[in-house]
Amino acid sequence: MNIFKQLVPTKHGVRAAKKSCKAASLCLSRSSHDSSIEVNSEEQEVVIALGSNVGDRLSNFDNALDRMKKSGIKITRHGCLYETEPAYVTDQPHFLNSAVRGITKLDPHKLLGVLKEIERDMGRTGGIRYGPRPIDLDILFYGNQRVNTDNLVVPHERIWERPFVMGPLIDLLGLDTDNDTIKSWHLLSGCSGGIFEAWEKLGGETVIGKDGMKRVLPIGNKFWEWSSKTSVMGILNVTPDSFSDGGKFLTVDSAVDQVRSMVSDGADIIDIGAQSTRPMACKLSPEQELDRLIPVLEAVKNMPEMDGKLISVDTFYSQVALEAIENGAHLINDVSGGLLDSNMCNVVAGLKVPYVAMHMRGDPSTMQNLENLAYNDVCVDVANELYTRIRDAELAGIPAWRMILDPGIGFSKNTGHNLDILMGLPIIRSEIGRKSMAMAHAPLLIGPSRKRFLGEICSKPVANERDAATVASVATGVLGGANIVRVHNVGDNRDAVKLCDAMLQRKRKTSLM
């Protein structure tokens, strides 16, 4: 995706910002001499970069963010998470890097003091410049101000030469400029096309996945480079009423046998669901759902075959999510995106695990009502509504680097809508990117497996006769940018995914020649 080309036509692009940012320009010009700008009464929007390469790097990030929040910095946006080779001093461990946007009333030097105190409390000492450190916190931007004193320069003087800073910074922006402060940040880049043009000059998206810089998602005990190949999520329904395989895997032994078969066929993730979300399904209580789930989860997590594999739990209850993670699951897959349990996002934020947020209108009993099937443009509307859900999740404390997005094929959609989504995944990413590049960069999951729309198109009224159509829909989705496919028949879809991945890799290599 060429970010700069997409930036220029937007209604509130950087070129428009030049015209509408006279006040910011005045503020910038008056601070060209060495001076400190003290702001005590008004909130200022700031950008803070994070880096760590000593100890538990992700825990260091979580700890630093918690301390920042307690020190008067309200975190409003998170970048993606990057694992990068060290720069300048190369004989040291790899870094994790990201950045956050926040709001604070601290003046620039008080903010610097707070960040330095956090660094010291977390064990950072003087050491070697650019050397190893448990945490590194740098102020990239402070409102629309320039600061130039002996101990603080804002904007940070080396932003524009560092891909490991620019990547996370881009994530904090949208293609549509949302306020005058953001416009001023674009002006501060010194490029006519703003920060996006500065990023393109460093190589833009072409530097991700090479040159020692990977976009990763923390899951289980590893950092998952999810864009390197498509992952297959195998479906395990421990329910009597699921539309495709209800009643087949109710016993622990039958569930374990099915997991063993899916792992043998190439599943990367096992998604366990103990409550049916088919249209008009009976709704269980959290306690009933847990009674079905926990015995199977306990058995599956202890299977030798699951070494290196991941376990997802499909639930819209925060209580179930909490107990599932405490009993060995690695991520939560919520078909409601937090709509059916107001405490879900807070609980997942506290658990610090990945969160799959899916688009759905209503609930399983109402999602196919006529009012829930009314769209102006299904891809645009789904993107906007899904963004609202993930934005709420982010404000609850789930950072962008733990988000996985699902457009909800088959949920509040008719056959035409499902086809539009399968063919329109790039549109959904692009629309989300207008508001948040971090969310647009998140892994994308699709779940068309054996859905009714495939039966309608192919005249297959029986769900388990729709595997060929599922393979075709999965292939379309992967070629359109899906990173995870959720399926019943793992073996056939694993082969389809491998072929699509090979085609995409070939395309990337050819484009670089």
Side-chain angles (χ1 to χ4, degrees), residues 333-337 356-360 386 389 406-409 411:
N333 181 10
D334 179 4
V335 298
S336 79
V356 182
M358 195 191 80
H359 175 270
M360 177 176 66
L386 184 55
R389 303 311 314 145
D406 182 347
I409 291 172
F411 289 79

Side-chain angles (χ1 to χ4, degrees), residues 231-275:
S231 296
V232 176
M233 175 185 278
I235 300 168
L236 178 67
N237 289 317
V238 292
T239 59
D241 54 346
S242 291
F243 79 94
S244 173
D245 51 10
K248 288 187 176 182
F249 312 116
L250 293 180
T251 68
V252 171
D253 287 345
S254 62
V256 166
D257 286 344
Q258 176 65 1
V259 170
R260 185 173 290 116
S261 175
M262 289 193 290
V263 170
S264 177
D265 285 340
D268 303 292
I269 309 167
I270 301 297
D271 188 50
I272 307 176
Q275 173 149 209

Side-chain angles (χ1 to χ4, degrees), residues 39 42-46 102-106 142-145:
V39 178
E42 294 184 2
E43 289 184 333
Q44 296 290 325
E45 191 162 16
V46 298
I103 296 172
T104 185
K105 286 188 175 182
L106 297 169
Y142 183 92
N144 57 13
Q145 317 283 350

Side-chain angles (χ1 to χ4, degrees), residues 92-372:
Q92 58 178 315
H94 283 204
F95 277 84
L96 282 187
N97 290 103
S98 191
V100 295
R101 271 168 66 177
I103 296 172
T104 185
K105 286 188 175 182
L106 297 169
D107 69 55
H109 288 86
K110 287 181 180 177
L111 176 60
L112 177 65
V114 164
L115 299 182
K116 293 304 178 186
E117 183 178 2
I118 291 172
E119 290 180 344
R120 288 192 297 270
D121 288 348
M122 291 181 59
R124 183 173 178 182
T125 57
I128 305 169
R129 190 180 188 195
Y130 307 127
R133 74 288 306 267
I135 195 69
D136 185 28
L137 303 173
D138 287 319
I139 304 171
L140 302 186
F141 292 112
Y142 183 92
N144 57 13
Q145 317 283 350
R146 285 187 186 274
V147 181
N148 193 341
T149 64
D150 290 342
N151 61 348
L152 180 61
V153 176
V154 178
H156 192 283
E157 56 191 336
R158 308 198 78 165
I159 293 176
W160 318 113
E161 69 185 51
R162 297 175 171 179
F164 60 88
V165 174
M166 287 293 291
L169 174 58
I170 286 290
D171 292 335
L172 300 177
L173 307 174
L175 291 176
D176 289 346
T177 305
D178 52 15
N179 62 49
D180 286 343
T181 298
I182 310 307
K183 293 174 186 176
S184 74
W185 295 349
H186 282 294
L187 289 176
L188 287 165
S189 73
C191 296
S192 61
I195 296 170
F196 292 104
E197 183 182 346
W199 174 230
E200 291 292 321
K201 286 181 176 180
L202 288 178
E205 279 294 297
T206 65
V207 307
I208 308 299
K210 66 175 187 178
D211 297 332
M213 183 170 176
K214 303 183 294 185
R215 192 177 284 131
V216 295
L217 185 144
I219 186 167
N221 59 358
K222 64 181 181 181
F223 293 103
W224 176 33
E225 190 186 1
W226 45 266
S227 62
S228 60
K229 75 177 186 68
T230 306
S231 296
V232 176
M233 175 185 278
I235 300 168
L236 178 67
N237 289 317
V238 292
T239 59
D241 54 346
S242 291
F243 79 94
S244 173
D245 51 10
K248 288 187 176 182
F249 312 116
L250 293 180
T251 68
V252 171
D253 287 345
S254 62
V256 166
D257 286 344
Q258 176 65 1
V259 170
R260 185 173 290 116
S261 175
M262 289 193 290
V263 170
S264 177
D265 285 340
D268 303 292
I269 309 167
I270 301 297
D271 188 50
I272 307 176
Q275 173 149 209
S276 175
T277 51
R278 64 175 175 78
M280 305 307 296
C282 293
K283 187 176 181 180
L284 300 181
S285 68
E287 293 75 18
Q288 290 172 311
E289 188 175 330
L290 285 164
D291 285 344
R292 289 180 182 174
L293 172 69
I294 296 302
V296 172
L297 176 57
E298 289 278 0
V300 170
K301 76 175 183 181
N302 291 319
M303 294 173 61
E305 294 89 345
M306 288 299 293
D307 184 37
K309 306 296 181 181
L310 300 170
I311 301 174
S312 167
V313 167
D314 182 356
T315 185
F316 49 73
Y317 285 131
S318 60
Q319 180 183 338
V320 176
L322 176 62
E323 296 198 31
I325 298 300
E326 289 178 346
N327 282 276
H330 301 104
L331 66 153
I332 297 301
N333 181 10
D334 179 4
V335 298
S336 79
L339 283 175
L340 297 182
D341 185 334
S342 61
N343 203 35
M344 175 64 91
C345 292
N346 290 323
V347 167
V348 174
L351 292 169
K352 293 181 169 48
V353 296
Y355 180 59
V356 182
M358 195 191 80
H359 175 270
M360 177 176 66
R361 292 174 170 177
D363 60 37
S365 68
T366 64
M367 64 184 182
Q368 297 303 114
N369 291 354
L370 288 178
E371 60 268 27
N372 285 329

Side-chain angles (χ1 to χ4, degrees), residues 446-458:
I446 60 167
S449 186
R450 297 180 179 175
K451 294 280 174 73
R452 179 181 296 179
F453 80 101
L454 300 176
E456 291 177 358
I457 293 169
C458 300

